[in-house]
Amino acid sequence: MEAGEELLNLDFVEFPYEDSGSVGKRVCAGVCGRPVSVCLCDKMPLEPMSTSTRIVILHHPHEQRHKLSTVPVLLKCLRNCQTLIGRRLKFGSSAVLDSLYSDAVQNPSLTHRAIFLFPGSDSMPSIEVDQWRSSLVDGSMNNYVMIVFDGTWKHAKEMVSASLPFLSKFATRVCLKYDVEVDGGCIFDSELILRKEPFGGCMSTMEAVARALRVLEPAGIELENRLVHILKEMVRLQACHLNPMKPRPKLLKKKMEGKDKTQLTA
């Protein structure tokens, strides 16, 4: 908590929490709106933090009810952040993106102020966001629009592919550092990972936005630190409610046990 901030007076109410799949869980009526057992109010900013970067998140429909989604928390942390529910971006999805699309169509030489955050592919490589920022002719330019895709790795790839005909007209594909040759981490070996990641460098939407804002915003380091601090607490609380992983018995051992039983009854 920063100096000058007042302590929150938390009240709690009985409310059905849809993400958990059960009804009647006590949910915090404070800033975070999460179940009491995983309340983040003491870590959250009292007011959403302002950014010059506008963040547009395409939120896969399946993620709306996922209890480990970081998007609901991110929306409460950042003022200039909006979410769109769907599987692809197209003209008509967002007034902000429609405006960028129309401007780019009328003037193809216009410098792109929009980026979409996703690892590159052979057919469409990406540039690391800090390199993209350094390559801009007008180094003082701000008011970027950053587009992020929120879903499982499989869903996110499908969302990006379906959105490319629209996005390619006005947005540049950027990424954070990643390595497809390295296995991704999980909640048991990282304080920032909520779900198993497919390869090294993959991260939650909240962490990805935090890392990108560090590069894009004048006060990026402070924004990153605040968001990462909240995410760490979110992961810590979730880890407290997980059972230790039990090693699965080897199939060979089961087969041997089955043979022994057969011999005994013979």
Side-chain angles (χ1 to χ4, degrees):
M1 179 175 293
E2 294 182 345
E5 290 185 349
E6 298 178 357
L7 291 174
L8 292 173
N9 180 18
L10 299 182
D11 296 316
F12 299 100
V13 295
E14 295 292 329
F15 192 78
Y17 184 58
E18 294 181 349
D19 288 345
S20 66
S22 61
V23 177
K25 281 187 175 291
R26 292 185 72 214
V27 174
C28 174
V31 177
C32 75
R34 288 162 55 84
V36 174
S37 59
V38 289
C39 176
L40 293 172
C41 283
D42 62 336
K43 306 296 182 183
M44 301 274 289
L46 293 179
E47 296 290 338
M49 297 179 287
S50 297
T51 62
S52 59
T53 303
R54 188 181 186 96
I55 302 152
V56 178
I57 301 173
L58 183 61
H59 195 49
H60 193 280
H62 290 181
E63 290 294 303
Q64 285 184 274
R65 296 174 64 87
H66 202 296
K67 64 183 179 181
L68 296 184
S69 175
T70 60
V71 169
V73 176
L74 188 59
L75 290 172
K76 291 180 171 68
C77 291
L78 297 177
R79 189 182 307 279
N80 206 7
C81 182
Q82 71 173 119
T83 181
L84 306 172
I85 308 299
R87 299 171 186 266
R88 70 182 177 114
L89 293 171
K90 59 183 179 179
F91 195 85
S93 299
S94 162
V96 174
L97 302 185
D98 288 354
S99 176
L100 292 170
Y101 176 88
S102 298
D103 290 345
V105 169
Q106 294 176 9
N107 187 359
S109 64
L110 196 67
T111 302
H112 287 175
R113 291 193 300 109
I115 56 176
F116 65 100
L117 195 59
F118 201 76
S121 63
D122 292 337
S123 59
M124 189 174 184
S126 58
I127 180 174
E128 288 188 16
V129 64
D130 53 346
Q131 295 178 354
W132 172 81
R133 179 68 177 82
S134 300
S135 69
L136 297 178
V137 176
D138 184 0
S140 62
M141 187 178 77
N142 52 21
N143 297 323
Y144 308 107
V145 175
M146 179 169 65
I147 303 158
V148 185
F149 298 87
D150 183 76
T152 63
W153 178 244
K154 177 185 176 182
H155 287 155
K157 287 196 294 183
E158 293 171 351
M159 292 155 74
V160 170
S161 179
S163 302
L164 278 178
F166 176 63
L167 286 180
S168 60
K169 299 294 185 181
F170 65 91
T172 302
R173 187 171 189 158
V174 301
C175 66
L176 299 164
K177 291 183 179 180
Y178 67 95
D179 189 347
V180 296
E181 302 298 326
V182 177
D183 288 338
C186 68
I187 195 171
F188 294 102
D189 54 30
S190 172
E191 60 182 355
L192 289 174
I193 296 178
L194 282 162
R195 288 185 262 181
K196 181 70 173 70
E197 300 293 356
F199 53 83
C202 288
M203 58 190 70
S204 69
T205 298
M206 188 167 183
E207 184 181 0
V209 169
R211 304 305 185 195
L213 289 179
R214 177 189 178 96
V215 177
L216 300 176
E217 290 289 309
I221 294 177
E222 180 183 355
L223 284 165
E224 179 191 40
N225 289 340
R226 292 293 299 273
L227 292 174
V228 166
H229 184 60
I230 296 167
L231 178 59
K232 284 183 179 180
E233 181 65 7
M234 188 176 177
V235 174
R236 186 190 72 79
L237 291 172
Q238 184 62 34
C240 292
H241 292 81
L242 295 178
N243 295 323
M245 294 180 66
K246 296 180 179 180
R248 296 177 63 184
K250 293 183 179 179
L251 294 177
L252 180 60
K253 185 177 180 180
K254 286 187 175 181
K255 290 180 180 179
M256 294 301 295
E257 290 175 351
K259 288 182 180 180
D260 291 341
K261 289 180 180 179
T262 301
Q263 292 174 354
L264 290 173
T265 57

